[in-house]
Amino acid sequence: MNNRERFEKKMPMVITRLPVKTRDKLLAELHKRGMTLQELLTSFADGQGSNLDS
Amino acid sequence: MAKSRKTTKKKSPSRIKYEASHPTVSARIPLEIKQKVIANLKTLDMNIADAFKKLGGELEEKAKPIELMKKAEYKAGYNAAKNYYAVPYQCSKCGQTVVIYTPEEKEAASRLMTEAEWGHKTCPEPNLPQTTTAKPIPANLSRSNPNPPVLPVAQANDSHDKIRRFLKEQPDHVTNA
């Protein structure tokens, strides 16, 4: 197992397809909150959906 | 010499259109966090795409089945009524909670409440023995006295003169006399 494989096993990818408009709104919301997608996903792990309201 | 070419399957036009209109959104997160995210979203009956859509304001709340809603409403109403009307007490033998239900229990509760002198909050207190140490009103000054004391005329005039003299001595007093 090389470094790349180890990394990919440790840090799996969360991937989804969204409509362009939704993607743009999501990115705008993230920009408004000053967060990255990774931070948003980490906050989903901590909260119980209370941070889902736009 | 043979060329090593990567063979890629030709995409259908619809697939090309779909991929153009639905770009991927991806991020790498630690495995434990991904599992937590998925578990948390599962409790809300959502997946990651739904969460992103909701955050973007595109997803409306999924309507729950009507039967499920009816059951939940019935349960909520039942619990509210139970909290309001049920009178629980502890069993003297096993200590478990019992709710007053039978006519005998109701009668016993009624008797106990009456003996403990429970009543309306707005009702006036019954006449209790007087416990205050206030001085009793003299009998001759009481309203029930048919012959109240009357000052003699001369004594009354003296009093009036004293008052008039006192008022005249006051510098800023104005009289109409």
Side-chain angles (χ1 to χ4, degrees):
Chain A
M1 189 183 276
N2 61 23
N3 280 343
R4 185 74 214 172
E5 287 168 345
R6 269 197 292 275
F7 170 74
E8 286 182 2
K9 195 177 177 188
K10 198 178 165 188
M11 299 279 283
M13 190 178 273
V14 174
I15 183 164
T16 185
R17 280 190 184 275
L18 293 174
V20 176
K21 277 186 183 176
T22 312
R23 194 266 318 260
D24 291 346
K25 282 183 184 176
L26 173 69
L27 294 181
E29 184 65 29
L30 285 174
H31 181 70
K32 199 169 80 181
R33 295 188 186 199
M35 293 168 86
T36 62
L37 203 58
Q38 273 185 323
E39 287 168 349
L40 179 76
L41 288 165
T42 312
S43 76
F44 283 172
D46 303 331
Q48 288 283 340
S50 57
N51 44 11
L52 275 177
D53 296 320
S54 57
Chain B
M1 189 177 155
K3 281 186 180 177
S4 62
R5 280 194 306 179
K6 252 188 181 178
T7 54
T8 52
K9 194 182 168 189
K10 196 188 172 195
K11 289 175 184 172
S12 64
S14 61
R15 182 77 200 169
I16 293 167
K17 281 179 200 166
Y18 170 74
E19 288 185 359
S21 63
H22 291 73
T24 55
V25 177
S26 61
R28 282 196 181 273
I29 52 172
L31 184 63
E32 314 87 65
I33 292 179
K34 184 184 178 184
Q35 285 166 349
K36 272 188 194 174
V37 169
I38 290 168
N40 269 354
L41 291 174
K42 204 172 180 182
T43 59
L44 300 170
D45 197 20
M46 293 170 87
N47 55 31
I48 288 173
D50 288 340
F52 287 160
K53 281 177 191 169
K54 191 171 182 193
L55 198 73
E58 293 257 320
L59 185 75
E60 291 176 4
E61 291 283 325
K62 281 182 185 172
K64 289 181 182 172
I66 190 85
E67 286 303 316
L68 209 68
M69 292 292 286
K70 273 185 185 173
K71 271 186 186 175
E73 289 297 315
Y74 177 82
K75 201 174 178 184
Y78 175 78
N79 285 336
K82 194 177 167 187
N83 288 339
Y84 189 77
Y85 291 110
V87 183
Y89 65 96
Q90 279 191 337
C91 173
S92 59
K93 292 169 190 167
C94 66
Q96 284 185 347
T97 306
V98 191
V99 177
I100 290 181
Y101 184 71
T102 61
E104 292 83 16
E105 285 173 317
K106 287 177 186 172
E107 197 183 325
S110 167
R111 201 171 53 243
L112 285 170
M113 294 290 280
T114 310
E115 282 171 9
E117 295 177 354
W118 281 79
H120 295 129
K121 276 183 184 175
T122 51
C123 282
E125 288 291 321
N127 291 330
L128 298 172
Q130 196 171 358
T131 55
T132 54
T133 55
K135 286 180 183 176
I137 299 168
N140 61 344
L141 295 179
S142 170
R143 283 187 180 182
S144 57
N145 185 11
N147 301 315
V150 180
L151 286 173
V153 178
Q155 200 179 337
N157 285 341
D158 283 350
S159 304
H160 291 169
D161 287 341
K162 277 180 189 172
I163 293 166
R164 281 195 201 104
R165 260 183 270 132
F166 171 78
L167 289 175
K168 276 182 185 174
E169 285 167 9
Q170 302 305 311
D172 54 348
H173 179 72
V174 179
T175 59
N176 59 355

